[in-house]
Amino acid sequence: MPRRSRLLAPVAATVVVIIAGLALAANFWTDYKWFSSVGFTTVFLTELWTRVLLFAVSAAVMAVIVGASIFFAYRSRPGVRPMSLEQQGLDRYRQSIDPHRKLFFWIAVGALAVLAGAAASGDWRAYLQFVHATDFGALDPEFGMDIGFFAFVYPFLRTLLGYVYAAVILAFIAAVIVHYLYGGVRLQNDSGQRATPAARVHLSVLLGVFVLLRAGSYWLDRYGLVFSDRGYTFGASYTDVNAVKTALTILTVISVICAVLFFANIYFKNTMVPMASLGLLVLSAVLVGVAYPEIVQRFQVGPNELRLEQPYIERNIEYTRDAYGIADAEVTDYDATTELTPQELASEADTIPSVRLADPSVISQTFQQMQQVRGFYQFPDVLEVDRYPDTDGNLIDTIVAVRELDGPPADQDNWLNRHLIYTHGYGMVAAAGNLIDPEGRPVFTEYNIPPRGELSEVTGEYEPRIYYGREGAEYVIVQAENEYDYPLDPEEETEEVPTLEDAQEPTPSPTPDEARAPSDSEADSGTEEGTQDETAQDEPTREGADSEATENGGEDGQSQAYNRYEGSGGVQLSSFFDRILYAIKYQEPNILLNSAITGDSRIIYERDPLERVERVAPFLTVDSSPYPAVVDGRVQWIVDAYTTSNGYPYANPIDFNQAVTDTFTDGTAQQVGTLPGNEVNYIRNSVKATVDAYDGTVTLYAWDEEDPVLQTWMSSFPGIVTPRSEMSEELLQHVRYPDDLFKVQREIMRQYHVTNAEAFYGGQDFWTVPTDPTRDTDDPVPPYRQTINYPGGDTASFSLTTTFVPRGRENLAAFMAVNSDAESENYGQLQLLELPRSTVNFGPGQVQNAFDSDAAVREVLLPLEQSNAQVTRGNLLTLPFAGGLLYVEPLYVQAGGGGAASFPLLQQVMVGFGEDVAIGNNLQDALNNLFGEDEAPLPDPEAPAEEEPAEGDAGTDEPSGDQELTDALNEAVEAWEEAQENQEQANENLREALEAIEEALNE
């Protein structure tokens, strides 16, 4: 071959190696820079050095064991090999390999070492938990071991044993190959000696070590019985304790004896000894380890399963309820009244204003149309529910979201715009959950750009820019070009935004013709420039907003303001070398070529709050529902995070993905990074995390400081978790009970509300979570956040609620709620209302069917459904009401079949109580129709309270009085009116009028 051709392959290989090395170095160094920028370098270095340690140790062990085995096999090769066709055939292989045997040796040993090290480095979490194991303070009932042994120590010992097993097996295989290649082991031999004495000794030792490891595995398997699934329930069963445990002990002893026999063959040098030992081991494993337990299970346990398994079922129930935090749930038998007297109805009227009618999954479209401002802003499909005080200090359920930037306009979507100009979203948007304006729109408490509303008045000024969120480009570079900030349209007139000041109950539902889409001008305003955002120009702008726009070039065509980032978020591109690394990382040469990027510029990436928390705390599993809150002058993403384990003895494991899946949550996106298969059998909401939406600061707060799993990780990564006591009061007001934990707990509660072993064995009282009747899906109904008056409680509480139906039926079995108010002493308290099993109470599906089939309801719905309007059923809320359970379902109407310019308007409310259902223009109207307005009309929550008549006044049995009394009353009214203008003089007149009334009554 020509010299140039011969050099081509090495040069190409060198180039590939260099490129791969640069990419690896770029990822490594940029990761370090990122961790340094967020202040979690400890996490990066601890994980790195732990991986390096495990890699080095595992690689060394594999190399030593396999290498020593190959070396001994080669050194003990026979000097003279018998003449045979087999050996003649091997001669040419020996001649080819022998000159390069050292190269082959190092390649084989090195490859195995690298593979072993790479595999072991992935088990760094198990190693750290083993080294920093914390006791749970509770003992396993079978072995008397602390639960921490099963959660932290046992898994690592199994892993360690597995690696040593692999090394010994590979050493044995390598020894057989080398011995065979050099004549130490023969398949054909006239003399009957198929192995040389040296080969027999070598292989016997390796087999002896293997069997000795098997003895250790048998002994360790005894502790693994607490995770057995042999019996009726998870955990050690009767057969496991009384047969398998004994069998494993016997097999341990037999394995040790067989190992001794293998080692003894060093002196016997006879093939029969190891073969007999191996046969004994296999036979005992089959008879003692398999046949004996199967006989006990089939012939002793099978006919008497309930009696024999009862204590083990009780263990499973107890430990499962502890592991998932449902052991302290308060269970109440609830008769679920289905009929009300007028007096009972009137006493419950004060709960009406707190019912959340705004459905976060429906009004997202309304947010999008009314508060999008520009087409490149985005709201999530399902909004979040938080609580904020109104101007009077009363906490109200509030639908919240941030206006995130989805990217530049489609016709301007280039690299410069996406990564340097359109860098951030802008502002919080919020609406009262229990108020709807006369047209059926949500009542906004925070709106427009710059943001304004009652929320701002209560929380004070805050930084509205959203650089970290769930939408937008993978990375942005700030302090380079002037960044698009917000639109300026001072000349345009827009419609008013519904606010708390003008909120009232909805007016009667419009006819199909009236339920129209916005006009063309309204649609254009709503989709392109916002239907109301430009009213913000009549308001004072945020502090510094206009000045920043002026400093950065003022207005562009009087349509938009610009801004330069002044935060500390991201990684500073302080050198040209940094730009090279990030250009390699993102495979983007523009990072190098753009002249606006300087040493002061910062690159912001890993912008999703969930990803940021997962990266700084790789031992945590994050909740699927982060939510924004205004805290201490900043928009903070609040992220719930869990410590999980699959090592809690006797606790029933579940698939975390499946447990958190519902109508609005795709569980496949939720990964338990620390556990194989996403199976957990222990979970705690041990950490509350915050991510600053402006500078990306991540703070981890130890919420459950008593959690042993969290304590183990805090010992592994000291200093990264902040004590709970350092949470600000304002942050604490927005902490809530997490969605995914509640869904996991309700999945467990389906069966483990039954605490009697006999009833659990029968399974007649098991429940299931109903499917969502308002959606065309088989997914479970999501839990709902609402403020409810729980039976027996003194005040209403912010709660997360769900329902259960009996397995195989649709009637209601139970209602479960958890206190979600972090400032309450009852936070996290699970409360369960169990309905009588002997009576039928409508479940969600049955109530929905009653809505759809009721004549009065159909009379209202039919004209809407037959028109071109789109009818959307909102969340079907269930809440305790007057000794029963009240169902409330808002009904939204969207004009034009759900076109791009229309959005849902709440026009009707359907309610159900017992087997009765009704519909009305609003909640009050629907309840009056349900219970009978003439018998017990519910008071309008918006109307002022009526004053009680004074003693002796009209309304008593005494006559209403003569002319003097009438005149005195008139004077009192006039004096009261006059008091509004001249308080001091009017008070005197009022006092005189009241004295006249008293004199008239005494006459």
Side-chain angles (χ1 to χ4, degrees):
M1 294 179 61
R3 178 178 177 83
R4 181 177 300 177
S5 300
R6 292 199 308 269
L7 292 176
L8 183 60
V11 169
T14 303
V15 170
V16 170
V17 170
I18 291 174
I19 293 175
L22 285 174
L24 183 63
N27 284 328
F28 174 83
W29 185 247
T30 54
D31 282 350
Y32 175 78
K33 298 271 285 186
W34 185 87
F35 276 98
S36 179
S37 71
V38 293
F40 284 84
T41 311
T42 301
V43 175
F44 179 83
L45 294 178
T46 300
E47 179 181 342
L48 174 64
W49 293 123
T50 304
R51 285 179 176 272
V52 169
L53 174 65
L54 292 177
F55 182 94
V57 172
S58 298
V61 170
M62 179 65 73
V64 168
I65 294 177
V66 176
S69 180
I70 294 174
F71 178 77
F72 182 82
Y74 178 76
R75 288 294 300 271
S76 61
R77 68 192 184 280
V80 178
R81 288 176 290 275
M83 297 298 296
S84 66
L85 293 177
E86 178 186 24
Q87 294 303 315
Q88 292 175 4
L90 289 173
D91 280 341
R92 65 175 179 270
Y93 291 102
R94 285 192 287 264
Q95 292 171 3
S96 300
I97 294 174
D98 208 53
H100 309 288
R101 63 179 182 276
K102 291 184 178 180
L103 177 62
F104 286 136
F105 171 82
W106 289 114
I107 289 177
V109 171
L112 291 174
V114 169
L115 291 175
S121 67
D123 293 315
W124 63 272
R125 295 182 180 89
Y127 172 76
L128 287 178
Q129 286 187 313
F130 170 75
V131 173
H132 301 279
T134 303
D135 287 343
F136 276 68
L139 300 180
D140 147 65
E142 183 60 37
F143 298 98
M145 305 285 287
D146 188 271
I147 292 175
F149 168 81
F150 300 97
F152 307 130
V153 178
Y154 173 80
F156 181 74
L157 293 179
R158 296 293 313 176
T159 301
L160 182 63
L161 195 60
Y163 281 113
V164 179
Y165 256 139
V168 173
I169 291 173
L170 289 173
F172 181 83
I173 294 173
V176 171
I177 293 173
V178 174
H179 279 302
Y180 177 71
L181 186 63
Y182 285 95
V185 174
R186 306 148 194 164
L187 299 179
Q188 300 175 0
N189 197 312
D190 295 336
S191 64
Q193 296 294 326
R194 298 186 179 274
T196 63
R200 284 198 297 270
V201 169
H202 184 192
L203 297 180
S204 295
V205 170
L206 290 175
L207 286 174
V209 173
F210 176 82
V211 174
L212 195 60
L213 290 174
R214 195 75 190 98
S217 178
Y218 281 133
W219 184 258
L220 198 59
D221 285 345
R222 297 167 64 256
Y223 298 104
L225 292 177
V226 298
F227 306 117
S228 170
D229 57 1
R230 177 192 297 271
Y232 183 78
T233 56
F234 186 81
S237 64
Y238 178 89
T239 300
D240 292 320
V241 171
N242 295 278
V244 179
K245 183 180 177 182
T246 303
L248 290 173
T249 303
I250 294 173
L251 288 173
T252 301
V253 175
I254 293 176
S255 297
V256 172
I257 293 173
C258 290
V260 172
L261 291 176
F262 276 115
F263 293 139
N265 196 46
I266 296 174
Y267 300 99
F268 296 135
K269 299 179 181 180
N270 191 316
T271 307
M272 294 302 299
V273 174
M275 293 301 295
S277 301
L278 192 61
L280 175 62
L281 186 63
V282 172
L283 182 63
S284 59
V286 173
L287 294 179
V288 180
V290 178
Y292 172 55
E294 185 63 25
I295 291 172
V296 172
Q297 178 68 30
R298 178 168 298 184
F299 297 103
Q300 184 175 357
V301 177
N304 308 282
E305 188 172 43
L306 175 59
R307 179 176 60 84
L308 296 179
E309 293 285 9
Q310 181 171 344
Y312 306 102
I313 295 174
E314 291 173 350
R315 287 181 183 179
N316 172 260
I317 293 173
E318 177 187 355
Y319 280 77
T320 298
R321 289 171 62 88
D322 286 339
Y324 291 96
I326 66 172
D328 296 328
E330 294 181 358
V331 181
T332 304
D333 292 332
Y334 196 60
D335 290 337
T337 301
T338 57
E339 296 181 0
L340 293 178
T341 65
Q343 293 78 13
E344 291 172 333
L345 184 59
S347 67
E348 293 291 328
D350 60 344
T351 66
I352 300 305
S354 65
V355 176
R356 178 181 58 75
L357 295 178
D359 185 342
S361 67
V362 177
I363 68 170
S364 173
Q365 301 176 57
T366 309
F367 272 49
Q368 195 73 17
Q369 288 293 328
M370 300 187 68
Q371 285 295 307
Q372 186 182 23
V373 182
R374 292 290 187 269
F376 41 77
Y377 286 123
Q378 184 69 33
F379 291 101
D381 293 335
V382 181
L383 308 180
E384 294 296 331
V385 182
D386 197 359
R387 290 200 304 169
Y388 284 90
D390 58 19
T391 52
D392 296 327
N394 300 314
L395 289 173
I396 59 174
D397 293 358
T398 306
I399 312 299
V400 297
V402 290
R403 189 182 291 103
E404 294 197 58
L405 187 69
D406 190 31
D411 57 349
Q412 296 174 310
D413 192 0
N414 53 55
W415 181 86
L416 183 64
N417 276 332
R418 174 166 287 275
H419 297 286
L420 272 71
I421 306 299
Y422 290 85
T423 58
H424 60 279
Y426 204 101
M428 282 277 293
V429 179
N434 61 333
L435 294 176
I436 300 296
D437 87 326
E439 296 183 19
R441 301 175 300 179
V443 175
F444 288 97
T445 58
E446 189 74 351
Y447 51 92
N448 287 355
I449 294 180
R452 62 191 179 99
E454 288 76 9
L455 187 148
S456 293
E457 295 176 9
V458 172
T459 62
E461 295 290 326
Y462 64 91
E463 172 56 63
R465 296 174 180 86
I466 311 298
Y467 282 88
Y468 293 85
R470 310 213 66 190
E471 303 290 342
E474 182 180 6
Y475 67 92
V476 295
I477 299 175
V478 296
Q479 294 180 3
E481 297 282 359
N482 289 334
E483 305 162 35
Y484 176 86
D485 206 25
Y486 60 88
L488 293 171
D489 294 302
E491 302 299 329
E492 188 168 351
E493 294 183 2
T494 57
E495 64 177 271
E496 289 293 329
V497 178
T499 64
L500 285 175
E501 295 177 357
D502 51 15
Q504 53 182 296
E505 289 292 333
T507 56
S509 175
T511 64
D513 292 336
E514 293 171 334
R516 61 173 181 85
S519 65
D520 291 342
S521 60
E522 291 170 336
D524 291 341
S525 176
T527 57
E528 179 60 26
E529 289 150 0
T531 56
Q532 72 295 320
D533 301 274
E534 291 77 5
T535 59
Q537 305 312 315
D538 296 331
E539 296 291 321
T541 58
R542 291 275 168 212
E543 182 180 354
D546 282 347
S547 62
E548 289 170 355
T550 302
E551 290 171 3
N552 292 281
E555 303 170 5
D556 179 13
Q558 295 185 345
S559 64
Q560 57 196 26
Y562 289 92
N563 174 67
R564 285 183 73 89
Y565 183 70
E566 296 181 356
S568 59
V571 176
Q572 186 172 352
L573 300 174
S574 54
S575 68
F576 189 74
F577 178 70
D578 290 332
R579 293 171 63 180
I580 292 176
L581 292 179
Y582 281 100
I584 295 174
K585 178 181 179 69
Y586 292 110
Q587 301 178 23
E588 181 51 68
N590 283 319
I591 297 177
L592 284 176
L593 301 177
N594 188 283
S595 59
I597 301 175
T598 68
D600 294 326
S601 300
R602 311 181 74 87
I603 182 168
I604 294 176
Y605 56 105
E606 299 290 356
R607 304 171 71 193
D608 190 314
L610 297 186
E611 293 177 358
R612 293 181 74 81
V613 173
E614 286 178 328
R615 290 212 69 188
V616 303
F619 50 87
L620 295 177
T621 299
V622 295
D623 191 89
S624 58
S625 299
Y627 58 99
V630 177
V631 177
D632 301 325
R634 306 295 280 266
V635 176
Q636 299 277 357
W637 290 96
I638 300 178
V639 181
D640 286 288
Y642 311 111
T643 48
T644 56
S645 174
N646 61 356
Y648 203 90
Y650 302 99
N652 196 62
I654 63 171
D655 186 315
F656 187 83
N657 288 352
Q658 183 178 354
V660 302
T661 297
D662 60 25
T663 303
F664 304 123
T665 303
D666 181 6
T668 58
Q670 289 303 103
Q671 299 295 321
V672 184
T674 60
L675 301 177
N678 274 352
E679 277 202 345
V680 303
N681 71 351
Y682 173 89
I683 185 171
R684 290 291 185 272
N685 176 212
S686 53
V687 172
K688 302 285 187 181
T690 62
V691 178
D692 192 298
Y694 185 69
D695 63 22
T697 299
V698 181
T699 307
L700 307 176
Y701 294 99
W703 184 251
D704 186 355
E705 296 176 316
E706 302 301 319
D707 174 31
V709 181
L710 178 62
Q711 292 176 358
T712 296
W713 288 119
M714 290 174 64
S715 178
S716 303
F717 299 97
I720 71 168
V721 181
T722 303
R724 176 175 176 171
S725 59
E726 295 189 21
M727 297 179 72
S728 70
E729 182 177 351
E730 190 170 354
L731 174 59
L732 197 61
Q733 292 174 356
H734 296 284
V735 168
R736 67 185 194 184
Y737 201 80
D739 292 68
D740 287 352
L741 175 60
F742 187 70
K743 285 185 277 189
V744 167
Q745 289 175 324
R746 76 173 179 179
E747 178 68 17
I748 292 298
M749 191 68 81
R750 294 189 308 107
Q751 296 182 1
Y752 288 89
H753 68 280
V754 179
T755 56
N756 179 272
E758 293 184 11
F760 191 93
Y761 182 84
Q764 296 91 346
D765 292 332
F766 286 172
W767 300 332
T768 188
V769 179
T771 57
D772 191 343
T774 67
R775 301 289 190 273
D776 185 17
T777 176
D778 293 331
D779 292 327
V781 63
Y784 293 123
R785 294 191 182 276
Q786 52 183 329
T787 297
I788 62 172
N789 277 358
Y790 200 84
D794 297 331
T795 58
S797 60
F798 186 50
S799 302
L800 195 56
T801 65
T802 192
T803 55
F804 296 98
V805 296
R807 188 169 57 179
R809 291 181 292 163
E810 291 297 323
N811 54 289
L812 195 64
F815 170 86
M816 187 170 78
V818 63
N819 189 308
S820 192
D821 182 1
E823 295 185 296
S824 169
E825 61 181 11
N826 293 322
Y827 171 83
Q829 178 63 58
L830 288 169
Q831 295 175 304
L832 194 66
L833 299 180
E834 286 197 31
L835 278 66
R837 298 172 178 81
S838 57
T839 60
V840 175
N841 295 274
F842 274 10
Q846 293 171 322
V847 169
Q848 188 65 57
N849 182 67
F851 287 154
D852 295 339
S853 59
D854 184 79
V857 175
R858 295 298 305 164
E859 184 178 356
V860 176
L861 295 184
L862 191 59
L864 295 174
E865 293 173 342
Q866 291 179 343
S867 69
N868 67 342
Q870 177 180 325
V871 178
T872 302
R873 289 166 171 79
N875 42 210
L876 180 55
L877 301 177
T878 309
L879 61 155
F881 179 80
L885 289 167
L886 177 70
Y887 290 95
V888 179
E889 182 178 302
L891 194 72
Y892 293 84
V893 177
Q894 186 169 353
S902 64
F903 52 85
L905 300 174
L906 195 156
Q907 298 298 326
Q908 296 287 330
V909 177
M910 296 183 291
V911 294
F913 191 83
E915 298 183 6
D916 299 324
V917 296
I919 192 171
N921 298 325
N922 51 58
L923 182 57
Q924 176 196 338
D925 187 26
L927 290 172
N928 286 339
N929 293 337
L930 178 67
F931 295 113
E933 186 171 1
D934 295 335
E935 293 183 8
L938 291 174
D940 185 349
E942 299 296 328
E946 297 181 1
E947 297 183 2
E948 297 182 1
E951 183 179 355
D953 203 349
T956 66
D957 294 336
E958 298 181 10
S960 58
D962 52 21
Q963 186 62 39
E964 292 182 357
L965 179 57
T966 302
D967 293 342
L969 288 172
N970 290 336
E971 290 179 11
V973 172
E974 293 175 0
W976 174 254
E977 294 175 350
E978 188 179 358
Q980 307 306 309
E981 301 177 0
N982 190 339
Q983 189 69 36
E984 184 176 350
Q985 181 61 41
N987 286 343
E988 182 64 29
N989 295 342
L990 179 61
R991 185 165 53 253
E992 292 176 358
L994 292 175
E995 290 175 355
I997 292 174
E998 184 179 1
E999 292 175 0
L1001 291 174
N1002 293 334
E1003 289 180 356

